[in-house]
Amino acid sequence: MKRIVFLLFSFALLFNVTTASAAREGTVFRRVDCEEKLIALTFDDGPHPEKTEKVLEVLDHYDVKATFFVVGQNAERYPEIVQRCAEKGHEIGNHTFTHRYFNRLSALEAENEIKKDSKLLEALTGVPCRLFRPPGGIFDSASASLASKAGMKTVIWNVDTKDWAGESADNIFKNVTKNACNGSIILFHDYTGNKSHTLEALRLVIPYLLNEGYSLVTVSELISRSNAAG
Ligand SMILES: [Zn+2]
């Protein structure tokens, strides 16, 4: 028992140290400290030829903006979808080129994953990538620092809808209503390997949040309106 407690304590310590040094070397956001009723919806892993278009339709319907963390190899296949997202005023963030977890890559491989994705996305949209989300949300001080050197803030989330796990629309809705607050960053996916209920859930989540008085903005706008930004 003592050993387990010690291991848990060591892990917690390691995690805290990692997070603290990551924050020092490169900014990492799980949510943003803000007084206004603002929330950022984020969509990972696309573009997907059908799902991303449908997500765009729902966002258009409610006239809200979101952030798409795009995987380079998918963007190469469907560049016009990335361009359409950007043209509609959504933000495009870097989610690496091949979506390999950073704890399995060398520093050089991680750097190449970041650089290759930014290069492609910037060529497609004409604007620099300002945000980076590591695959699986796995990062350490070194990757946060790499992103920072490439001019990007590392963005995680404080609300995981678990749409990636095939959760029902009702469960996704509950995840959001239980955890969303001012400055929340909510994780959705516009591309999942299995069947997801993201679209049905969005049709519940967006009107609920709007009704609660929240404005749905891009992550960069959320950060720019944080207390820290003054
Ligand atoms: Zn991902």
Side-chain angles (χ1 to χ4, degrees):
M1 184 60 190
K2 265 186 184 164
R3 189 175 158 77
I4 292 173
V5 170
F6 175 73
L7 281 173
L8 283 174
F9 177 72
S10 305
F11 179 75
L13 201 64
L14 180 70
F15 182 77
N16 278 335
V17 167
T18 305
T19 309
S21 63
R24 229 182 1 256
E25 292 175 28
T27 317
V28 179
F29 291 92
R30 294 180 188 278
R31 67 172 277 272
V32 166
D33 186 22
C34 74
E35 267 147 41
E36 292 179 86
K37 295 199 77 165
L38 301 172
I39 281 181
L41 304 182
T42 65
F43 296 90
D44 285 13
D45 298 355
H48 182 280
E50 287 142 33
K51 288 180 189 172
T52 308
E53 296 284 8
K54 287 187 178 148
V55 167
L56 284 176
E57 278 171 26
V58 179
L59 297 176
D60 269 356
H61 178 80
Y62 291 102
D63 195 22
V64 297
K65 301 302 173 208
T67 302
F68 290 82
F69 286 98
V70 169
V71 173
Q73 62 186 9
N74 295 338
E76 249 183 356
R77 251 173 277 162
Y78 310 107
E80 68 289 349
I81 303 178
V82 179
Q83 285 168 325
R84 201 148 45 245
C85 289
E87 279 160 14
K88 285 177 179 288
H90 303 296
E91 185 164 20
I92 305 297
N94 183 319
H95 198 38
T96 74
F97 200 81
T98 64
H99 203 270
R100 287 190 293 161
Y101 289 177
F102 274 14
N103 54 357
R104 297 173 196 164
L105 299 183
S106 69
L108 184 63
E109 285 172 323
E111 187 174 4
N112 286 338
E113 281 282 330
I114 292 177
K115 279 188 176 165
K116 202 172 167 190
D117 199 29
S118 277
K119 194 175 171 199
L120 173 64
L121 298 178
E122 288 174 13
L124 288 176
T125 64
V127 292
C129 266
R130 296 290 183 215
L131 307 175
F132 169 64
R133 176 170 282 165
I138 297 167
F139 71 97
D140 60 13
S141 56
S143 55
S145 170
L146 273 180
S148 178
K149 274 182 203 144
M152 294 184 287
K153 298 175 175 83
T154 297
V155 177
I156 314 295
W157 55 83
N158 79 309
V159 181
D160 181 358
T161 63
K162 298 212 163 64
D163 62 342
W164 52 271
E167 286 288 355
S168 67
D170 277 350
N171 283 347
I172 292 173
F173 181 68
K174 279 181 206 152
N175 274 334
V176 173
T177 55
K178 209 164 53 183
N179 300 305
C181 57
N182 291 5
S184 275
I185 298 171
I186 304 184
L187 172 70
F188 283 100
H189 292 80
D190 57 327
Y191 195 146
T192 54
N194 50 5
K195 177 161 171 47
S196 76
H197 300 279
T198 311
L199 280 167
E200 304 100 281
L202 276 179
R203 294 191 186 102
L204 301 173
V205 165
I206 296 177
Y208 167 80
L209 292 175
L210 294 177
N211 222 11
E212 290 289 302
Y214 288 106
S215 295
L216 304 180
V217 298
T218 64
V219 171
S220 282
E221 182 167 0
L222 185 66
I223 291 170
S224 76
R225 289 165 72 175
S226 71
N227 293 340

